[in-house]
Amino acid sequence: GLGGGNGDLGLIAEYAWDSRGDEALTTFDNDAIAGLRFTFNDTQDTALLFSAAVDVTDGSTGLRLEAERRLTQSLTAEIEAQGFVNSETTTGVETITNDSFFRLRLRYFF
């Protein structure tokens, strides 16, 4: 119970490294990733997740936010957003810079 409430806070930390260097087929060749996940532990099963992946070499950063909540027993709402900061480099990230997005999804379960 975070702060005496029902919520839980989870910390995420990861380091991604590819020994192939410039030959790597991924943009996560030397990146530090950190995030926070907060679950409210309520009857609506509300949860938030925020993460950032920072390229240690050039500082290009990918940001991601996810949120979800049950609205009724059969209906859930989800928000997902992704964006990039300082990604005008030539390390491979510039190919996905324009892939920023915001999505709102409603799901109905039978």
Side-chain angles (χ1 to χ4, degrees), residues 8-68:
D8 291 321
L9 181 65
L11 303 176
I12 301 165
E14 180 178 350
Y15 177 71
W17 180 70
D18 192 321
S19 62
R20 295 175 290 180
D22 291 338
E23 307 272 324
L25 300 175
T26 178
T27 58
F28 299 105
D29 57 344
N30 187 17
D31 293 40
I33 300 143
L36 299 171
R37 178 173 175 81
F38 186 76
T39 54
F40 288 79
N41 291 326
D42 57 0
T43 56
Q44 293 83 18
D45 199 24
T46 308
L48 298 169
L49 172 65
F50 175 75
S51 62
V54 180
D55 188 299
V56 176
T57 307
D58 67 8
S60 58
T61 303
L63 303 172
R64 188 166 179 87
L65 174 68
E66 298 176 24
E68 59 184 310

